[in-house]
Amino acid sequence: MRKDRGLRELYEQDPIAADEAVFGRRTGPDRRGFLKGAGLAAMGLAIGGAIPFSRTMPAGLIPAALAESVEDFVIEGKNGLRVLNDKPVNAETPPHLLDDDVTPIAHYFIRNNGVPPESTSPQGWRLTVDGEVNETLNFAISELADRFEVVTLRLQHECGGNGRAGFNPPASGNQWTTGAIGNAEWTGVRMRDVLNAAGVKDSAIYTAHHGADSHLSGDPDKVPISRGVPIWKAMDPHTLIVWRMNGQDIHPMNGAPLRILCPGWPGSTSQKWLTRIQLRDVVHDGTKMSAPSYSVPYHSVQPGADVAEADFKIIESMPVKSLITSPRSGHHLPTGHRKLRVRGHAWSGDDVVTKMEVSYDFGATWVTADLHAPPNPYSWQRWEAELSFPTKGYYEIWARATNDRGEQQPFIPPWNPKGYLNNAMHRIAVMVPA
Ligand SMILES: Nc1nc2c(c(=O)[nH]1)N[C@H]1C(S)=C(S)[C@@H](COP(=O)(O)O)O[C@H]1N2
Ligand SMILES: [Mo]
């Protein structure tokens, strides 16, 4: 790290070595010194400014200013997404493109497990409802619209693996950072109404969702994903079967022409290219239903631990979380300005966010943000705050939400083998020039 670019590159290529270069080698088992002297100077050069709150900066912290790189990904009808994988397509949204209250289709993340169907035309598309019902039913999309009340709701929908990239030791799978979340306006019918039309038997305890996509191997006997939810979640009036997204056709990559939107639960429960909902008298055992898929240990485990299959539970409601969507990380205030308005969204699975706080001194002190009520249950909630920086220099803004159960976003969430449920506080870099 002779020159500042070297340190930035080192952080990209080998964060552990870079971390040692600025924070020094470990002296005890897990303690390192605070940033000072040559390390502080090198870090300041790499991020382009002095760090006024270096005293409260946690040892070993990789500055938010160094922790991001965004590539553009071109897919028809989408822009600005960061591609993580193209077989299958997986792409996430940078935080500043999630600033809208309603996530635009062009910026909505994509998480495919297999190959989407060739035709996503609503013409001739059928939905079958069968299993533990009094009568098997089969609908065209137009029949769903005619027969049941049509509703439009803003719904938060986050992949269970969002944030996986933040776990150490790393978990295999798509290395989502913060962008596998969206809050679109979905139009369709309540799953409850459709199930009730078929007549739900007392024996029905779980749903099984089936879609028209095919397995990556091309083997027609293999299924990319088929998940379900307990019957009570299926009967919640906010669990929908939808065919419109933001008043338009659903994007082909987001499950056109028909999908489930099961808000607040792992995104995988919201089957895309939906063809069949089967009610079952057992917990559904479809592809990616059993541990460790979409499951976490019942009790917290040591990072890197092996966990026995019997010690996993299926993820249900997603944890409390928030994003800073403006300004974009790396923002420079104009010369002579010390005040900054920051804003974003907060959400919490089946729960409501009741408090939102931001910090500009690495979490030493917190400013309470204005937090809006959701426009409807299960929408994310807008928050905003104004900050005044005491001096010039490099700052990080950290954001944390608290829900109505008193659960708060942690700095380091519990490690789990598949890297699910990372609800770490979001951080952005801000430079105050003078
Ligand atoms: N048929 C089908 N449905 C699916 C998937 C899939 O691969 N196939 N992926 C699931 C997962 S893991 C997530 S997170 C969400 C992603 O929805 P999106 O691509 O519209 O953002 O869809 C879910 N529904
Ligand atoms: Mo997912």
Side-chain angles (χ1 to χ4, degrees), residues 109 111 113 157 159 213 225 254 259 267 270-272 294:
F109 79 102
R111 197 292 185 241
N113 288 268
H157 171 230
C159 179
D213 46 342
I225 189 166
N254 299 121
R259 76 173 300 170
S270 293
Q271 194 82 25
K272 303 194 279 189
Y294 300 105

Side-chain angles (χ1 to χ4, degrees), residues 313 317-322 346-357 400-410 423:
K313 62 174 179 202
S317 177
M318 293 287 287
V320 62
K321 200 159 171 181
S322 60
W347 64 97
S348 182
D350 288 334
D351 304 305
V352 177
V353 177
T354 48
K355 188 176 187 184
M356 189 66 217
E357 297 164 293
R400 70 177 186 200
T402 305
N403 71 13
D404 53 357
R405 296 164 181 267
E407 294 160 341
Q408 185 173 75
Q409 286 184 259
N423 66 336

Side-chain angles (χ1 to χ4, degrees), residues 78 88-91 108-117 157-162 176 180-182 186 209-214 224-227 245 250-251 253-255 259-261 265-274 288 294:
K78 297 279 179 184
V89 175
N90 282 273
Y108 204 95
F109 79 102
I110 301 167
R111 197 292 185 241
N112 291 348
N113 288 268
V115 183
H157 171 230
E158 180 178 14
C159 179
N162 196 20
W176 305 105
I181 167 77
W186 298 97
H209 309 154
H210 303 274
D213 46 342
S214 49
I225 189 166
S226 171
R227 304 202 65 237
M245 181 180 192
I250 297 176
H251 188 280
M253 289 291 172
N254 299 121
R259 76 173 300 170
I260 293 173
L261 211 296
W265 282 38
S268 53
T269 59
S270 293
Q271 194 82 25
K272 303 194 279 189
W273 311 294
L274 181 70
K288 306 213 173 176
Y294 300 105

